[in-house]
Structure formats: structure tokens, C-alpha cells
Amino acid sequence: MAVQASRNDLATAAIFVAIGGYFVLESLNYTLGTPLRMGPGFMPIALGSILILLGLVVAVGAFTHADPEEDRPFPWRGIALVLGTIIFFGATIRGLGFIPVVFLSALGTALASRENNPVSAVIIAVALTILCFVIFVLALGLQVRWFGPWLPF
Amino acid sequence: MDLFASLALGFSVALDPWNIFFCFIGVLLGTLVGVLPGIGPTATIAMLLPITFTLSPASALIMLAGIYYGAQYGGSTTAILINLPGESSAAVTAIDGYQMARQGRAGPALATAALGSFFAGSVSTLLLAYFAPPLARAALNFGPAEYFSLIVLGLLVSIALAHGSIIKALGMIVIGLLLGMVGQDIYTGQPRFTFGFRELFGGINFVSVAVGVFGIAEILRNLENEQTREVMVKKVKNLWLTKDDFKRIAAPVLRGTVLGALLGVLPGGGHILSSFASYSAEKRLSKNPQEFGKGAIEGVAGPESANNAAAQTSFIPLMTLGIPAHPVMALMVGAFILQGITPGPNVINDEPELFWGIIASMWVGNVLLVLLNLPLIGLWVKMLSIPYRILFPSIVLFACIGCYSINLNLFDIYAIAVFGLLGYLLIRFGCEPAPLLLGFVLGPLLEEHLRRAMIISRGDPTVFITRPISATLLALALAAVILALLPSIRKKRDEVFVEED
């Protein structure tokens, strides 16, 4: 028989402990200071420890109940395309320039939805590129190259 | 300066044609994002912050404030027409508003929401004008110990009001506080938690966190389960209320206004809680409670007035203490700072035009909202038919371009992706994102005031309980947590929030 435990709570606990743990370990490199003159490490150690503690409480609590609902599927395609696009945007905005990057990013995110097919994604991407160009470059005067140095023209 | 002279000054600023224009843009955008589910005022204001940099402080803040209370209006339209709250605070409106729409009474429901909101907004703007100055004067006597206690109170009350697990909400606050510590230490200049990146020395960009946790995370959630929205009501007729309707909504609107104005001052989801509270109150007071859930007009009038009143009074802690009551107010702090103004008790004396201008603009904005929402309702209904698959790529792009344009810093863009993922995971596992953002904004303040208070008291930690104001604030904070943890209250709290489903 499977143990009745809330997987959501266990995952939350893991995130809490991981984040708290990182901050505590990293703070050990900083001066702790005295109560009179607290050093840079004082608050993060205190807060990180509290977070670890809270994570443990959540973990213990996880065994008292099961998740109320069925697991929803992870939107892998959406996560990969949306987050990938954002990173792509950051990595290439200086090299490729505003127009190509916005077009490709719009295309990438549009494809994150299962309801878009390649044709509708291209239409959305063209429309969004024009819209963003008008708003940010023409109207607001964002200082950015239209086409970047990586492109031959 | 007495109240009338101050308000006159405020209106002279708010009625400046440029400021009316920006107020209009603000409420228009606010209504738009309020109407569209999947994008809220937090993400919108975060994206627009960089743009406001070029405006004058008054215009910028008037516009951003307009987005916020405009969204409260717009959210109710979506709730009534498609049973999907465009804004979390409109969740209650959906219960009876949608039923009214199904019975062909969408017009009266929308009119009730608009008129109730207008009344509540006007009254609470006056309250804001009346109570803010004395509070700001009192706040001038606050030392670091009082500020520390006040921030603790704010953080703890915000979890008592949040729904879901209290422990998880606490954890989210602490994560936010920790993220706020990233960057150079205020006293020694030592870089902390920067992984050696110079770009992080100034701290994590607030806009990236806000857009990631509220914008991107929400998009990922919506992609879990794509569905097309159906707009049942294609045409809205009969926007006017009958005499009988007016009689029925008068008392709920009044009660909702009072409730909302009081709860709005509290940190956390004051405007959300107030609409739930108002709904339960109306149900309890009604002579025919069985009508609730089946299209009772009181169930629209009360909560709508309450959430709008709360939206206005939630500016009180920001304008008088410089302490944001919830994420949107935290963004307003960012807007003040971008303009080179430190929000807090000094604003009212140093920048009276700005202070009173913002207050007066809220009234102007409320008038504009009624004009925008009732005659133009057809336009908003059309908006609702924009499919999400077109909407979310625009949100992602606006977020990236907007964040990049603040400092032209690539790190800010990567941060959106990181916080989008973190936010999505935490929300999926049942944590609320709002406390994280609140903690993130208040973290540096909390640390600064704690350390300063300790230096002043020569390392004596009892200073927090020997100074009367500080002790009172801490006692209130403790009481809030104990109350939230008490089994009987917890049951009540769950009951209130269960009605959301």
C-alpha cells in the first residue's frame, strides 16, 4: 500500500529546505557580527534557518493528508518554449537586433500553445513584431539596434 | 492646510489636461487587463514601470494608480459575463453576477457593479484624504524600532489574510525576504549571494521578480489546461436599474463600502478578503438568503463596493508610512523610487501637489471608469473574445522588452525566466505568490531598520518591546498569527474562502 502523503507538500518542503540551505551555507562566508553591529551574514542565516524549519514542518504535515485532486499534467511544451524564448531573447537581443529577436521570440511563445498551428503562429509573430516595434522603438524610443551586428546587413 | 484647500490643490493637479489624459490611459489599461483573465494589474504595472520613467511624477503615479483600481472594475465585467474572475477580488462577484447574466439580467448586474464601485470609490477617496495626513504626522515620530515592528506586523497580517496553508505563506514571505537580501550589504558593501556576478550587486530587479512570479507563472499555469472561453452574453441590454433594484442595492453598497474601506488598510489581500466578507455579511443579513447563488443583486452590489473601497484605502499605508500593503502597492513604491521620491510620511509635506493630486485623481478616475464601463460595455465584451493563444505571446514579449528597457541589463531578462519557473512550481504546489513579492520588497527595509535599531539601542534587543508603539505593533502581529491559527477562526477562514469555488 502506498503511503498517504501530499506530494505537493513534499515538493514545497524540498524547495523551502533547498533555498534555505543555500542561503545559510553561503552566509557562513560572511561576517556574522554581534547583536550591536550585525554583520552581513546575520539576517540571512537567521531567515535561512527559519525557512529550513518551515520546510521541515511542511514535510511532516505532508504525511497527514493526501493531495485533494488528481495530478495535473506538467505543461512541458509550454514550460520549455516560454522559458526557452525568454532566455533566447536575453541571449540574442544585442547580437541579432530588435526586429529578428522579437519575431523569433513571438513565434516561439506562440507555439507553446497547442491551439496554435505554424501558420497562426507566424501570423501572430508578424503582428506582434510590428506592434512591439511601434510601441517600444517608435513611440517610446527604446535604444536598441533594429538589426544587430551578427547579421550581415 | 485644511482638507478643502488640500483637495482644491489636488484637483488643480488632477484636472490638468495631461493628467486627465494619463488617468484615462491608466483606467483604460486597467479595465482592459481586468477584463482579460490571465493578466492582472501586478504584471501590467510591472511592465509599464519603465515607461513611466519619462513622465512627470504626478502623471506617472496617477496612471499607475488608475491601472490598479481600473482593474478592479474590469475584473467584475468578466466575472459577470463569463463566470471567470478577471481579477481575484472579483471571484465573489461571479457567484451571483453570472447567475444574473444567465437570467438575462447582465445589464443590471454590470450597472450595479459600476455604480456600487463608483460610490465606494468616491467615499473611500474622501476617507483617504481625511485620514492620511494625521497618520503621516504620527509616522514622523517613528524610529527604526517602530518601523521594524510595523513591517513585521504587515508581513504577519498579510499571511493571516491569505488563503491556503499558513506555514506555506510564512515560507513564501521568508523566501521573499531572502531574495531581497541579494546584492551589496547596506552597511559594509559586501556583495551577498551574487554568484560573483557584478550585475547582481544592486540586487535582483524587482520588476523581473514581479513579472516572473505573476505574469509568466500564470501563463504556465494556463497552459496546463487550455480551454476556450465562451462568452454567453453577446449583447448587453437594459443597463439601467429599476427603482426596486436601487432600493435593494442601497444598503449592501453602504455596508460594502464601510467593510472594504476598513479591510483595505490591512496588508495582504485586503481587497480580496473584503469582497468575501461583504458577501457573507449580505447573505447573513438578507431576508431571503436562499436567493444567494441564484442571482441575488445584493451579492453583486456588496462585494463590488467592498473591493473597490479597499482598492482605494490600500493606498493609505503606502502614502503615509511608505509601507506597501500588497504587491501592487509594492510596485507603486518602485514607481516612487524611479521618480526619485522616497514614499513615506514626508511626501505629504515635501510634495503636496503630488500627494493630493494622486488622491484627487482617484475620484476623476472613478468618474472616467463609469463613463468607460457602461456605455462602452460592448467593446469589452468583444475584448473577451480575444483568444488566449494570441494574448500570452504578447504578455511574454512585453515582459521581456519592458524589463530590458529599464536598465538594458540582460540579467533582468534571465531573472524573469528563473522566477517564472520558481513561481510556477510554488503555485502548483499550493503556495501563494503574493507574500513572496511582499517579502522581497520589505526585506531590505526590515534588515535596515533592525540593524539600525540595534545600533541605536546599543545591542539591546528589548528596545522593540520597551518602546510603546513598537510593543503594541508587535503584540498586534502576534495576535494576528494566533488568531489565524486558532481552530475556530481557521474554520471560519476556510469557509469564507471556500465560497470561491
Side-chain angles (χ1 to χ4, degrees), chain B residues 272-296:
Chain B
I272 302 171
L273 183 86
S274 66
S275 53
F276 283 107
S278 160
Y279 188 81
S280 346
E282 291 311 325
K283 197 170 171 180
R284 207 151 293 163
L285 289 171
S286 169
K287 284 187 202 108
N288 356 311
Q290 73 281 2
E291 261 184 46
F292 278 77
K294 296 186 187 118

Side-chain angles (χ1 to χ4, degrees), chain A residues 1-48:
Chain A
M1 205 184 84
V3 184
Q4 285 277 308
S6 162
R7 267 199 257 162
N8 284 347
D9 284 3
L10 288 179
T12 306
I15 295 179
F16 282 7
V17 172
I19 295 180
Y22 165 71
F23 274 94
V24 169
L25 287 180
E26 178 69 20
S27 313
L28 294 177
N29 304 328
Y30 310 140
T31 325
L32 189 59
T34 60
L36 170 57
R37 283 195 186 280
M38 293 181 193
F42 190 92
M43 278 288 271
I45 285 193
L47 288 171

Side-chain angles (χ1 to χ4, degrees), chain B residues 18-50:
Chain B
W18 254 140
N19 289 337
I20 292 184
F21 173 73
F22 281 111
C23 186
F24 174 76
I25 297 284
V27 294
L28 183 73
L29 278 172
T31 311
L32 180 69
V33 301
V35 165
L36 298 170
I39 175 165
T42 316
T44 312
I45 294 179
M47 284 187 272
L48 289 180
L49 261 190

Side-chain angles (χ1 to χ4, degrees), chain B residues 13-14 19 22-23 55-64 339 341 351 353-355 357-358 361:
Chain B
V13 176
N19 289 337
F22 281 111
C23 186
L55 305 176
S56 78
S59 306
L61 290 160
I62 284 173
M63 183 174 102
L64 294 175
Q339 297 284 354
I341 300 164
E351 314 260 350
E353 293 92 2
L354 179 69
F355 182 89
I358 295 175
S361 84

Side-chain angles (χ1 to χ4, degrees), chain A residues 98 125-137, chain B residues 394 398:
Chain A
F98 188 83
V126 170
L128 263 181
T129 310
I130 296 171
L131 185 71
C132 290
F133 185 75
V134 170
I135 295 180
F136 287 98
V137 180
Chain B
S394 345
F398 279 33

Side-chain angles (χ1 to χ4, degrees), chain A:
Chain A
M1 205 184 84
V3 184
Q4 285 277 308
S6 162
R7 267 199 257 162
N8 284 347
D9 284 3
L10 288 179
T12 306
I15 295 179
F16 282 7
V17 172
I19 295 180
Y22 165 71
F23 274 94
V24 169
L25 287 180
E26 178 69 20
S27 313
L28 294 177
N29 304 328
Y30 310 140
T31 325
L32 189 59
T34 60
L36 170 57
R37 283 195 186 280
M38 293 181 193
F42 190 92
M43 278 288 271
I45 285 193
L47 288 171
S49 315
I50 293 175
L51 189 58
I52 295 176
L53 209 73
L54 288 171
L56 294 178
V57 173
V58 173
V60 170
F63 291 98
T64 59
H65 62 276
D67 285 328
E69 50 189 304
E70 284 282 298
D71 264 356
R72 287 159 297 169
F74 261 100
W76 291 115
R77 172 171 158 171
I79 292 177
L81 279 168
V82 170
L83 300 183
T85 305
I86 296 173
I87 292 166
F88 168 80
F89 184 98
T92 58
I93 181 77
R94 289 198 180 144
L96 288 176
F98 188 83
I99 293 175
V101 169
V102 170
F103 176 78
L104 291 172
S105 306
L107 196 65
T109 32
L111 287 171
S113 165
R114 287 177 199 285
E115 296 186 4
N116 277 328
N117 55 38
V119 178
S120 67
V122 169
I123 297 172
I124 292 173
V126 170
L128 263 181
T129 310
I130 296 171
L131 185 71
C132 290
F133 185 75
V134 170
I135 295 180
F136 287 98
V137 180
L138 297 184
L140 295 171
L142 175 65
Q143 291 296 313
V144 66
R145 295 176 73 150
W146 298 7
F147 293 96
W150 294 354
L151 294 172
F153 46 92

